[in-house]
Amino acid sequence: MTVMAYAHAVNLSLMDALRADDRVIVLGEDVAEAGGSFKVTRGLLEAYGAARVVDTPISEATIVSAAVGAAMSGLRPVVEIMFMDFITLAMDALVNQAAKARFMFGGKTSVPMVVRTPHGGGLSAGPQHSQCLEAWFAHVPGLKVVCPSSPQDAYSLLRSAIDDQDPVIFVEHKGLYGVRGEVDTSVKVPIGQASVVRHGRALTLVTYGATVAVCLAAAKHLAEHDGIDVEVIDLRSLQPWDKATVLASVSKTHRVAIVHEAVQAFGVGAEIAACIAEEAFDELDAPVMRVGAPFMPVPFARSLEKQYAVDEAKVRAAVHRLML
């Protein structure tokens, strides 16, 4: 095991995938000579050359459309969209082409491609560079969506995504790039499997991405100051999501809140809450709660963004409401 930053884990995963399979290519804006806008692809060009690590024009629609064609022709492209906000420009290629090709061609073709993209706030980057749009893609049949919270999962889930036969949206949080942790390159993490990162019996917090650390901090405080034993589930995959692990936890704790940085309305939490209400209603001792961002664009001002963000205090407040 080696201790490394989240960004390094993604970089190492790309390096190892390029080494293991000559069908893997990396393409995007500034991914080659500049090493990516967050330096996640640094060193790939020098190691594998311009034929496999490709700087593209500034056109997300073109980049993703080219990747769809490359994937259907036998390659395994990994695209970087430097901010998730810009993925809006590639929606046709992803939603109407990549997601539907296997179905429309009767299973005779697939689109084994990955779109890596950072989401999230905390950097005072404003409303057009801070959004969490993962719920859009989780809504589309044919797309898989993952969002790792640790260096280990960043490495392992990216390898799984590159090996997958279908298109995968691989969401990275900008605020996690510097987070360090142990990485074992032999560990495999399948898409669709959640992780119980803290065991408890009083209440379940279901979360993913950067809010995993927020929930763990809140759970620690609640245990030490209020005697509330909270279980924390890191979904890791949003589509497909690990319903069995979540429902098993709910049947044990009988209280649950879903926490994410994205806008609360019509989000991932709403889908999971509805599923719990439909399939585990008799297990509940309190209503299912959601903790998410307010229904507004992400503020630019640091003071306003701090109020907008989902933080430990908001999670603790939700837990206290559920325990009444």
Side-chain angles (χ1 to χ4, degrees), residues 5 12 19 57 74 104 111 130 165-166 183 194 204 208 232 245-246 270 296 302 310 324:
L12 180 61
R19 182 183 305 114
M104 294 180 70
V111 186
S130 306
Q165 286 299 109
D166 293 303
V183 175
T204 300
Y208 61 88
V232 180
T245 294
V246 171
M296 62 171 288
R302 190 170 297 278
V310 171
L324 291 176

Side-chain angles (χ1 to χ4, degrees), residues 1-270:
M1 278 187 154
T2 305
V3 175
M4 65 183 68
Y6 185 108
H8 184 192
V10 175
N11 178 273
L12 180 61
S13 190
L14 291 169
M15 283 280 193
D16 289 350
L18 285 159
R19 182 183 305 114
D21 188 342
D22 60 11
R23 297 173 298 172
V24 177
I25 60 172
V26 175
L27 59 159
E29 299 164 14
D30 295 330
V31 298
E33 290 191 17
S37 56
F38 293 96
K39 305 306 178 186
V40 175
T41 56
R42 183 182 293 169
L44 299 186
L45 175 65
E46 292 77 8
Y48 293 100
R52 298 184 65 194
V53 183
V54 183
D55 276 334
T56 65
I58 303 174
S59 173
E60 285 76 13
T62 300
I63 299 165
V64 178
S65 295
V68 173
M72 294 179 72
S73 301
L75 296 178
R76 290 183 172 268
V78 181
V79 170
E80 177 177 295
I81 301 296
M82 64 171 63
F83 287 90
M84 192 174 202
D85 314 69
F86 305 162
I87 210 167
T88 55
L89 299 164
M91 290 295 278
D92 179 68
L94 285 170
V95 173
N96 288 329
Q97 308 304 328
K100 295 173 174 59
R102 180 190 287 275
F103 177 80
M104 294 180 70
F105 288 99
K108 294 182 179 180
T109 189
S110 61
V111 186
M113 62 178 283
V114 177
V115 177
R116 293 182 40 251
T117 187
H119 75 163
L123 302 181
S124 192
Q128 295 175 332
H129 294 76
S130 306
Q131 296 172 86
C132 296
L133 304 175
E134 55 274 7
W136 287 4
F137 299 100
H139 179 74
V140 178
L143 295 179
K144 297 179 180 178
V145 184
V146 299
C147 187
S149 66
S150 68
Q152 178 67 69
D153 287 344
Y155 177 89
S156 299
L157 276 172
L158 184 53
R159 291 301 304 273
S160 294
I162 294 170
D163 289 342
D164 202 278
Q165 286 299 109
D166 293 303
V168 180
I169 310 299
F170 191 88
V171 185
E172 305 158 11
H173 195 288
K174 298 187 289 289
L176 293 179
Y177 281 140
V179 171
R180 298 179 64 81
E182 291 185 337
V183 175
D184 182 346
T185 59
S186 68
V187 171
K188 297 184 183 302
V189 176
I191 293 174
Q193 185 178 96
S195 174
V196 181
V197 292
R198 189 184 195 279
H199 292 274
R201 302 201 65 84
L203 181 142
T204 300
L205 293 176
V206 180
T207 187
Y208 61 88
T211 46
V212 171
V214 174
C215 288
L216 285 171
K220 184 175 185 292
H221 185 278
L222 289 160
E224 293 174 351
H225 294 85
D226 304 292
I228 301 173
D229 188 21
V230 174
E231 182 149 293
V232 180
I233 295 176
D234 179 359
L235 287 172
R236 302 196 289 198
S237 294
L238 310 181
Q239 184 61 269
W241 65 281
D242 191 350
K243 184 191 300 184
T245 294
V246 171
L247 294 183
S249 181
V250 171
S251 69
K252 177 176 68 173
T253 66
H254 308 292
R255 290 176 171 83
V256 60
I258 304 105
V259 181
H260 52 61
E261 182 177 329
V263 169
Q264 179 172 303
F266 296 89
V268 171

